[in-house]
Amino acid sequence: MKCNRLVDAGRRQFLRGGMMATAGAVATTVMTPEQAKARALARVEMPTNRLANIADLTVNEPMDIAYPDEESLGVLLKLGEAVEGGVGPDGDIVAFSVLCPHKGWMMSYSAEDKSLNCPGHHSRFDCENGGQQIWGHATNNLPQFLLSVDDAGDIYANGVDELIYGRLSNVL
Ligand code: FES
């Protein structure tokens, strides 16, 4: 009998705890104006920079670029067939950082298998699959620049999907 009362008390305590947790979760989803303002200030703003025009590109020949600033080197590619993150009429134009995510060595493009390759410790990244790492010491995929194309065929970089090597954040 005493044992049942203890079990009942335990159940009530458990249910009360669950209700408190739910109320807490609801409370945390409602932001004060100050919190909303602080969050807006923390949002990463990347510039929109013109990189080239579609007419400047040749299939499978890399063009050197820099984004979001001159310190951050990259490559612009027209791969010849639609790929992940590709823009333009054929969905085949992509851009990546060429700074290896492992220790920042400058990578080079291999037209043979459309990969970027690091001379430092031999990490390899697949340009046809969003910069996915094929092999190596890097612990993240290659930063891909987010592109758009206007009606005149001008190609713009508007952001980046991973942290560029050597930077504590992508905030400029
Ligand atoms: Fe590229 Fe180490 S710096 S794999």
Side-chain angles (χ1 to χ4, degrees):
M1 190 65 167
K2 188 178 175 190
C3 184
N4 283 345
R5 276 201 306 270
L6 282 174
V7 169
D8 271 354
R11 281 195 191 119
R12 281 196 298 275
Q13 193 64 31
F14 175 78
L15 289 173
R16 197 176 307 135
M19 288 186 332
M20 295 292 279
T22 303
V26 169
T28 56
T29 59
V30 178
M31 280 193 291
T32 65
E34 291 75 25
Q35 288 170 322
K37 192 174 172 188
R39 177 177 279 193
L41 287 173
R43 188 175 296 156
V44 176
E45 292 290 338
M46 299 293 281
T48 292
N49 293 355
R50 183 185 178 281
L51 301 176
N53 188 278
I54 290 177
D56 302 328
L57 299 176
T58 302
V59 173
N60 213 17
E61 279 188 20
M63 173 183 282
D64 293 337
I65 56 165
Y67 181 82
D69 53 43
E70 294 305 313
E71 304 293 311
S72 176
L73 303 177
V75 67
L76 181 64
L77 293 159
K78 181 172 174 57
L79 294 174
E81 55 188 53
V83 291
E84 182 180 334
V87 298
D90 302 321
D92 65 342
I93 299 171
V94 289
F96 296 95
S97 171
V98 291
L99 302 176
C100 180
H102 178 223
K103 290 196 173 181
W105 285 58
M106 182 94 73
M107 295 190 291
S108 60
Y109 181 69
S110 165
E112 194 175 315
D113 64 357
K114 298 177 181 172
S115 64
L116 279 160
N117 299 274
C118 179
H121 314 96
H122 312 297
S123 283
R124 306 181 65 232
F125 301 89
D126 187 348
C127 296
E128 294 180 296
N129 283 295
Q132 186 175 356
Q133 185 170 359
I134 300 166
W135 189 89
H137 296 333
T139 54
N140 59 283
N141 293 330
L142 193 58
Q144 182 168 11
F145 299 145
L146 309 176
L147 304 179
S148 61
V149 179
D150 69 11
D151 292 342
D154 286 328
I155 305 162
Y156 296 87
N158 308 292
V160 61
D161 70 349
E162 295 268 3
L163 191 60
I164 296 167
Y165 180 81
R167 297 178 185 230
L168 297 177
S169 78
N170 280 335
V171 180
L172 301 178

